[in-house]
Amino acid sequence: MPLSIRQNPMQLSQFQAFCSIRGRIHGTCKDVYALEWLGLPEPRDVLTQTLRHAQARAQADGHVFLCLSSLNTRPSPQQSAQLAAQTELLLSGQPFTLPELSDPLLSALPCTALTAALDTYRAQHPQASASMVRNCAVKLLCALTHCLPTLFPTGSASDSPKCVWLGEPDPTAVLFLSLLPKLGCDVALLRPTGTQPLLPGANVLTGTPDPTFEPDTILRTLSEPVQQPVKQPASTAGAACAAPQPDKKPVLSIPPHPKRTAPRPASTPAPVPAQPAPATAVSCPQPASVSNRNTVPLDYETLAGFAPSVVMIEVLGPNGQPCSSGSGVIIAPGGIILTNFHVVSNGMAYAVHLENREAVYQTDELLKYHRDYDLALLRLPGCQGTPIPLYDGPPLARGQQVFAIGSPLGLFNSVSDGIIAGFRTLGQTDMIQFTAPTSPGSSGGALLDRYGNLIGIVTAGFTDGQNLNLAVSYGVIRQFTHGFLPS
């Protein structure tokens, strides 16, 4: 069975989110993203750094982040015969495969994608002769022959390439970019002076016009060697999860990160939960009034009403059986759940429990993670739960009252209160030390201020003392979730 493509399952609005997110494979379905900016999404200097960081992170994770401003559509003498034969098969409707995509899941996709591109060409040029259509097919096949080995280095569905086009594309390039998502490649078209969309099926966003933009300048900068590795504020989650690193935090009441001997298979079928998720949208319970503009401190009963936006996560192993559990917080529409990386790092899928719901909902969509921040994002498709707003105010103070919600020892959505005891930095991560009691299983839960804002994600506790607990601070969370939070 060929791989099916689900395009733009989330409405990304930030270029950095496009760079960070990694499309996942669910059985024989793969998520891809196609976006087109009319204008630049970021100032030129920021865009250059974003692209450099994205390329470095993709290389470190074993993926490809390709930037282009032109295509090679002229076949060499050695390629001419092969391209001619492939073109005749394509135009006659006979199936053929490209050797660059050896995975059976991918082998049928080029023929389908190229046929759709030629249909688009014919619709745009109703007077085109047979030789013009043939010439267009040769150009597209030539461009694919040059780009596919780079985009799909292993030739398998587990490759998760991204292609960014800088500048105004010619008609052949538009057709080429339109067929890449059909092969499982994420695409972003950045048109500094664009006014009308060109890329069919892409999410169209508006940026800042820049008539002096020169793609070749940025491409030359990207090709320059980096003297020192640049630290990306957020790591991406690919189709294969890298083995977690041993936990270097001083003393934790959570078990150390388990070591995985092999990366997660990209197309591992999701285990069947004890109570399967229904096909309809998940109706998450709604918390009490949730606003990041509260000016009056809330009483504890009202704060406890935020519990429906905190979920319990059971981590499922290769056999579909639960192997550990933790907590998570709904932070954005569309079922975006923030939790700790150490909670989800060893899972093949996740069973999500919602308050006041008997059904157990399952997802394997690990969107993004960062080992050093100990943060990860899951997505529970169809979840309509109300997000808890992230704190956006003046610096917090010691002695400030806080409220923790989580599932310690599997006791679903327990609540506790305390104060901020201090502020710590572990490695590169800003932490809030607080006194509200927590236990293993609280990890990934919410730490709220008295106004109902999320100020931290409960992460760890010191085992040699009482109520000495740590939460990843809201500033780190804001960096990590950039592009996913509602504006």
Side-chain angles (χ1 to χ4, degrees):
M1 178 183 295
L3 192 69
S4 61
I5 301 297
R6 184 173 64 163
Q7 188 163 311
N8 295 327
M10 293 174 54
Q11 299 299 310
L12 303 182
S13 60
Q14 299 287 334
F15 184 63
Q16 291 190 12
F18 169 83
C19 295
S20 299
I21 199 168
R22 189 68 59 189
R24 292 291 310 281
I25 294 180
H26 319 282
T28 59
C29 179
K30 184 175 185 179
D31 292 344
V32 298
Y33 295 87
L35 295 93
E36 179 178 354
W37 267 271
L38 305 180
L40 291 184
E42 300 173 338
R44 258 185 283 183
D45 55 343
V46 177
L47 176 63
T48 302
Q49 290 303 313
T50 299
L51 291 172
R52 184 183 284 276
H53 294 174
Q55 286 186 331
R57 177 57 61 184
Q59 183 177 12
D61 288 345
H63 299 295
V64 173
F65 195 102
L66 181 63
C67 296
L68 296 173
S69 63
S70 62
L71 288 178
N72 185 345
T73 58
R74 290 188 175 183
S76 65
Q78 295 79 11
Q79 294 174 317
S80 297
Q82 177 185 354
L83 292 179
Q86 291 172 335
T87 300
E88 292 307 316
L89 291 173
L90 176 64
L91 296 176
S92 63
Q94 300 182 56
F96 70 95
T97 59
L98 296 180
E100 295 83 4
L101 298 180
S102 56
D103 191 327
L105 286 173
L106 300 177
S107 59
L109 298 184
C111 187
T112 303
L114 285 162
T115 299
L118 292 180
D119 289 342
T120 300
Y121 177 80
R122 293 187 183 97
Q124 294 172 345
H125 304 85
Q127 304 302 319
S129 64
S131 61
M132 292 171 64
V133 175
R134 180 175 287 99
N135 186 50
C136 178
V138 170
K139 288 182 177 180
L140 292 175
L141 278 165
C142 185
L144 283 176
T145 300
H146 284 99
C147 290
L148 285 183
T150 300
L151 291 170
F152 293 86
T154 70
S156 69
S158 62
D159 291 327
S160 295
K162 291 183 182 292
C163 180
V164 175
W165 186 279
L166 303 171
E168 197 69 21
D170 61 30
T172 301
V174 173
L175 292 174
F176 174 79
L177 295 173
S178 69
L179 66 82
L180 285 184
K182 296 179 175 64
L183 303 180
C185 176
D186 297 334
V187 169
L189 172 55
L190 311 186
R191 299 171 57 206
T193 58
T195 56
Q196 296 296 324
L198 294 178
L199 198 58
N203 284 349
V204 180
L205 301 120
T206 302
T208 303
D210 188 349
T212 64
F213 180 80
E214 296 181 355
D216 290 344
T217 301
I218 288 187
L219 292 177
R220 283 195 299 270
T221 302
L222 295 177
S223 66
E224 295 172 356
V226 181
Q227 299 301 321
Q228 295 181 351
V230 180
K231 198 72 174 181
Q232 172 88 350
S235 160
T236 60
C241 290
Q245 301 299 313
D247 199 344
K248 297 182 181 179
K249 297 183 175 65
V251 276
L252 303 180
S253 61
I254 55 176
H257 294 174
K259 293 185 178 180
R260 183 177 294 151
T261 57
R264 179 187 307 183
S267 57
T268 300
V272 178
Q275 301 181 48
T280 56
V282 181
S283 178
C284 296
Q286 303 296 305
S289 175
V290 178
S291 171
N292 59 356
R293 292 183 292 273
N294 287 332
T295 58
V296 178
L298 305 176
D299 58 39
Y300 287 150
E301 290 81 0
T302 303
L303 286 170
F306 286 74
S309 291
V310 180
V311 304
M312 185 169 73
I313 301 170
E314 283 189 307
V315 179
L316 306 180
N319 59 358
Q321 297 301 311
C323 55
S324 62
S325 68
S327 305
V329 184
I330 300 173
I331 63 163
I336 306 300
I337 297 171
L338 179 65
T339 184
N340 287 136
F341 174 63
H342 77 258
V343 169
V344 300
S345 62
N346 208 35
M348 297 297 169
Y350 312 97
V352 179
H353 299 252
L354 305 171
E355 188 167 278
N356 301 324
R357 294 283 169 176
E358 293 184 1
V360 178
Y361 304 96
Q362 185 174 310
T363 181
D364 64 354
E365 295 192 49
L366 177 59
L367 297 178
K368 182 179 180 181
Y369 64 77
H370 195 300
R371 294 189 187 93
D372 294 332
Y373 293 168
D374 197 13
L375 293 176
L377 284 176
L378 298 176
R379 187 169 81 101
L380 183 61
C383 178
Q384 303 300 318
T386 301
I388 295 181
L390 185 62
Y391 180 74
D392 185 14
L396 303 174
R398 276 184 300 197
Q400 190 170 330
Q401 290 181 306
V402 294
F403 195 80
I405 306 176
S407 300
L409 304 177
L411 300 175
F412 192 24
N413 276 2
S414 300
V415 298
S416 60
D417 69 299
I419 63 169
I420 293 177
F423 301 94
R424 313 295 174 197
T425 300
L426 297 183
Q428 61 174 314
T429 308
D430 293 334
M431 295 279 190
I432 298 172
Q433 180 187 337
F434 63 98
T435 64
T438 64
S439 299
S442 297
S443 293
L447 186 66
L448 307 179
D449 66 5
R450 284 295 306 276
Y451 300 89
N453 298 303
L454 182 69
I455 62 172
I457 290 293
V458 178
T459 296
F462 290 87
T463 56
D464 295 333
Q466 291 185 346
N467 298 338
L468 300 178
N469 304 307
L470 297 173
V472 180
S473 179
Y474 61 93
V476 178
I477 294 171
R478 186 169 298 282
Q479 271 192 313
F480 174 73
T481 57
H482 181 74
F484 291 90
L485 293 177
S487 57

